[in-house]
Amino acid sequence: MGTVSPQPPVDPRGTAAPAEDTRTAATTVETVFRLESPRVIAAVTRIVRDVGIAEEIAQDALVAALEQWPRDGVPDRPGAWLTTTARRRAVDLVRRRENYTRKLAEIGRDLTDAPPPEEPADPEDIDDDLLRLIFMTCHPVLAPQARTALTLRLVGGLTTPEIARAFLVPEPTVAQRIVRAKRTLATRNIAFEVPYGPDREARLGSVLDVIYLIFNEGYAATAGDDWLRPALCEDALRLARQLAALTPREPEVHGLAALLEFQYARTAARTAPDGTPVLLKDQDRGRWNRLLIGRGVTALTRAGATAEGPPGPYALQAAIAASHAHAYRYEETDWPRIATLYGLLAARAPSPVVELNRAVAVSMAEGPGPALELVDALADAPALRDYHLLPSVRGDLLLRLGRTAEARAEFQRAAELAGNEQERELLRRRAEDTTAPPAHRDAPHDGTAQADPP
């Protein structure tokens, strides 16, 4: 999202508003827009039926907020304000089009009088337009990489650099995928809807993937100053629950829902009061949300009950997360079981990062020596060339083997590669104090994100 810098507003007395008030309001606008832009874009897409135009109109609403909020104050419901402003501009655009009559009949005659959409009241509520937008951007006419990049951009609110880091690909590649995807959706006139039957089944895998990626970006941000972005986690969790209700006989949907329930249950314990990451072994498990863990167990049970064959990748990842959730103390963790589950996951969904996570589990089950052999075998994997967790895990294993100097170098390299400031600082501390006890990753991944820091 670009940053727009309006001129300082003028108050009724004819003097410019204080610069500090302007900066505070502008920061609020930026924060609110980052949180609310997916819903704004979804609401506008319902009207204009073009995600590219919808994103531009959402940006127009952002500019309006930057101009008005420093002068008039931040509204009580800033998300609804942005949505209403964008909807009005969208309706104006439709009215200016030559095919106004046909479009007006299609969207209904009550748009201008319709109240702004209510914000979700509890975790069970979901903005249907948001779900429609995901299914639209996950249409099979788009290449898989393009579907995911576009959905993360529009629904997840991720920037192009953040998406590039998540996929370990150059930024221009991601930018081109997004531009081409928008153009394809517009030229093919893809419907803004939640499909049914075979059409839904054809898109479901991509929808699950992007919901997972959105959650992971919130659970451990790839860049920025904050380790957690809870709003992204909450959106992803609501979407997963909604999909589970829509598709009760799809085991992988229940598997994803279970995984996110287990992972989000740990959120309160994953950072210190100052925002710094707390290692898995040091987390206060009494702060893990047992209600969410119970929901995860229920969803994982449903995944098993609806499966007709071996568990899928999300169900396997949920089983790994369940193993951590069932350990009331770090020392009670069943690492041999986790290593076995990672082996099954690697066979079902091969990925260098899955192998990296498996190596961590093996290190706890069998020792750092066998795990280091697995990690060194990944050294030439193209996807891990700039992946900071490879040297981070390797540094941890070397430290446990007493090879302190080598471990320090690996932690330093990992810090240089890390995009998130909190994680970068943690790795710097590990490099400076290589006599500290080793830490371990715990979360199941498919190669796109991270969980508790190494």
Side-chain angles (χ1 to χ4, degrees), residues 5-81:
S5 301
Q7 294 299 314
V10 177
D11 68 19
R13 295 167 296 183
T15 58
E20 183 62 30
D21 291 346
T22 300
R23 286 194 295 270
T24 300
T27 300
T28 300
V29 173
E30 293 282 351
T31 301
V32 170
F33 187 80
R34 188 172 181 90
L35 294 174
E36 298 293 337
S37 62
R39 290 185 178 85
V40 176
I41 293 170
V44 174
T45 301
R46 169 189 279 273
I47 299 171
V48 300
R49 310 289 173 165
D50 185 308
V51 293
I53 294 175
E55 190 175 20
E56 292 175 3
I57 292 175
Q59 290 284 344
D60 288 343
L62 167 65
V63 173
L66 286 167
E67 293 172 346
Q68 296 181 38
W69 292 8
R71 180 188 65 220
D72 303 333
V74 178
D76 292 336
R77 297 178 62 210
W81 189 99

Side-chain angles (χ1 to χ4, degrees), residues 283-366:
Q283 289 176 16
D284 178 2
R285 300 192 176 206
R287 300 185 67 194
W288 287 8
N289 190 317
R290 289 293 154 183
L291 175 61
L292 293 181
I293 290 174
R295 292 185 65 122
V297 171
T298 299
L300 185 56
T301 301
R302 288 174 180 161
T306 55
E308 297 180 354
Y314 286 120
L316 287 169
Q317 293 182 72
I320 294 170
S323 295
H324 288 289
H326 291 323
Y328 283 87
R329 296 187 305 119
Y330 180 78
E331 293 75 16
E332 296 174 359
T333 306
D334 189 348
W335 289 109
R337 171 177 168 76
I338 292 174
T340 298
L341 289 170
Y342 267 122
L344 295 173
L345 179 61
R348 186 69 189 270
S351 160
V353 175
V354 170
E355 288 292 340
L356 185 61
N357 280 274
R358 184 169 77 90
V360 174
V362 168
S363 77
M364 298 302 297
E366 302 177 20

Side-chain angles (χ1 to χ4, degrees), residues 138 144 147-148 151-152 167 203-216 243 252 256 313-314 317 446 448:
C138 288
R147 297 176 210 166
T148 306
T151 310
L152 289 175
F167 283 100
R203 303 187 210 182
L204 192 57
S206 292
V207 171
L208 294 179
D209 290 345
V210 296
I211 290 175
Y212 177 56
L213 289 169
I214 290 168
F215 180 90
N216 270 344
L243 271 182
E252 275 293 79
L256 176 64
Y314 286 120
Q317 293 182 72
D446 67 354
T448 55

Side-chain angles (χ1 to χ4, degrees), residues 157-343:
L158 275 64
T159 64
T160 299
E162 288 171 342
I163 298 171
R165 278 189 287 269
F167 283 100
L168 309 177
V169 297
E171 291 181 27
T173 300
V174 172
Q176 290 173 5
R177 288 174 182 172
I178 293 173
V179 170
R180 290 171 182 168
K182 291 178 185 177
R183 186 183 304 125
T184 299
L185 291 178
T187 57
R188 299 289 290 271
N189 196 27
I190 301 303
F192 182 69
E193 64 181 5
V194 175
Y196 295 90
D199 287 342
R200 176 186 292 176
E201 185 176 347
R203 303 187 210 182
L204 192 57
S206 292
V207 171
L208 294 179
D209 290 345
V210 296
I211 290 175
Y212 177 56
L213 289 169
I214 290 168
F215 180 90
N216 270 344
E217 180 59 30
Y219 193 70
T222 56
D225 297 329
D226 296 326
W227 174 243
L228 297 177
R229 295 170 62 181
L232 286 181
C233 292
E234 291 162 5
D235 271 345
L237 187 54
R238 285 196 297 269
L239 290 166
R241 290 171 177 171
Q242 180 76 352
L243 271 182
L246 284 172
T247 57
R249 300 187 63 80
E250 291 288 344
E252 275 293 79
V253 176
H254 293 300
L256 176 64
L259 172 63
L260 303 195
E261 299 281 8
F262 286 131
Q263 297 294 76
Y264 196 56
R266 307 182 204 168
T267 304
R270 294 186 64 247
T271 55
D274 62 358
T276 57
V278 178
L279 303 174
L280 176 64
K281 66 184 294 292
D282 298 324
Q283 289 176 16
D284 178 2
R285 300 192 176 206
R287 300 185 67 194
W288 287 8
N289 190 317
R290 289 293 154 183
L291 175 61
L292 293 181
I293 290 174
R295 292 185 65 122
V297 171
T298 299
L300 185 56
T301 301
R302 288 174 180 161
T306 55
E308 297 180 354
Y314 286 120
L316 287 169
Q317 293 182 72
I320 294 170
S323 295
H324 288 289
H326 291 323
Y328 283 87
R329 296 187 305 119
Y330 180 78
E331 293 75 16
E332 296 174 359
T333 306
D334 189 348
W335 289 109
R337 171 177 168 76
I338 292 174
T340 298
L341 289 170
Y342 267 122

Side-chain angles (χ1 to χ4, degrees), residues 404-424:
T404 306
E406 294 173 80
R408 184 182 299 113
E410 292 292 335
F411 287 132
Q412 290 171 341
R413 180 168 177 266
E416 293 173 356
L417 293 173
N420 183 276
E421 182 56 37
Q422 294 286 0
E423 189 168 21
R424 187 182 301 120

